[in-house]
Amino acid sequence: GKKAWEIEFKNPTPYPNTPMVSRAAPSCLAMKEYVIAFFEGGLLAAVDKGGKLIWERNLVEEFGAIEARHGLAASLESDGDSVFVWVERSDKPYILAINPSTGADLWKADGVGSTSWGSPRILPVEGGSHLVCSAIGKIVGLDPNSGKRLWEFDGIANNSSNTPIPAGKGKFLIG
């Protein structure tokens, strides 16, 4: 129960809290070797289990401002080999797959193109898995190895903050 380590990061692009925007929305991802965190200001960083910084990236500097109706909200997802970062913003939304050891991009794909306060989820399907993202009026499935959009469903409403939950092979629950 004792604190093992602590590390602080400076927010490169602070944005004020509002009823719709919280700097604490994305959750970090604990992996076997690393803890990877994504912050509202666009900072993405990996720390080893001893608290030593492994790598750090400023996604705002790399890809532009993160301006979205709900602010940045998506937590990170991983399939064990890649970490998925979803930036659903007003202009040119995107999804990144990165190498957790180096932080380097494996691929970059277009985002959903709609407001979201959900997180991407790896879901098992026949023969592998899909990376599924839910945003207002749309749910999309991507190939986690390439970022290629495999399918899109637009017959839905009221799904601005829903993260898909696995419900068996090829099935998920969203409420």
Side-chain angles (χ1 to χ4, degrees), residues 121 123 132 134 139 156 162-168 170-175:
R121 188 65 65 228
L123 299 171
V132 178
S134 171
I139 303 173
I156 190 167
N162 301 331
T163 298
I165 310 252
K171 298 176 185 177
F172 61 89
L173 177 63
I174 192 163

Side-chain angles (χ1 to χ4, degrees), residues 3 6 25 32 37 55 122 160 164:
K3 186 187 301 184
E6 180 176 328
K32 184 178 180 181
W55 54 261
I122 289 287
S160 65

Side-chain angles (χ1 to χ4, degrees), residues 85-116:
V85 184
W86 183 17
V87 179
E88 193 61 39
R89 59 186 180 175
S90 303
D91 185 38
K92 297 181 183 172
Y94 61 91
I95 302 167
L96 290 177
I98 62 163
N99 178 315
S101 301
T102 65
D105 293 351
L106 300 172
W107 54 257
K108 182 180 180 212
D110 290 341
V112 177
S114 187
T115 300
S116 178

Side-chain angles (χ1 to χ4, degrees), residues 5-126:
W5 52 266
E6 180 176 328
I7 187 168
E8 289 187 29
F9 296 94
K10 183 174 180 352
N11 185 345
T13 54
Y15 193 86
N17 279 345
T18 72
M20 300 293 274
V21 177
S22 170
R23 290 188 295 262
S27 299
C28 64
L29 179 67
M31 301 183 76
K32 184 178 180 181
E33 307 263 337
Y34 311 105
V35 173
I36 301 175
F38 188 35
F39 300 96
E40 176 271 328
L43 186 68
L44 181 65
V47 178
D48 72 12
K49 53 188 170 186
K52 179 183 170 209
L53 180 66
I54 302 300
W55 54 261
E56 181 177 339
R57 293 178 61 180
N58 179 338
L59 299 186
V60 170
E61 208 171 76
E62 292 182 47
F63 304 115
I66 299 172
E67 294 178 15
R69 185 173 145 210
H70 285 263
L72 183 65
S75 295
L76 303 172
E77 175 66 309
S78 178
D79 63 2
D81 297 318
S82 304
V83 172
F84 304 99
V85 184
W86 183 17
V87 179
E88 193 61 39
R89 59 186 180 175
S90 303
D91 185 38
K92 297 181 183 172
Y94 61 91
I95 302 167
L96 290 177
I98 62 163
N99 178 315
S101 301
T102 65
D105 293 351
L106 300 172
W107 54 257
K108 182 180 180 212
D110 290 341
V112 177
S114 187
T115 300
S116 178
W117 228 53
S119 296
R121 188 65 65 228
I122 289 287
L123 299 171
V125 297
E126 187 72 34

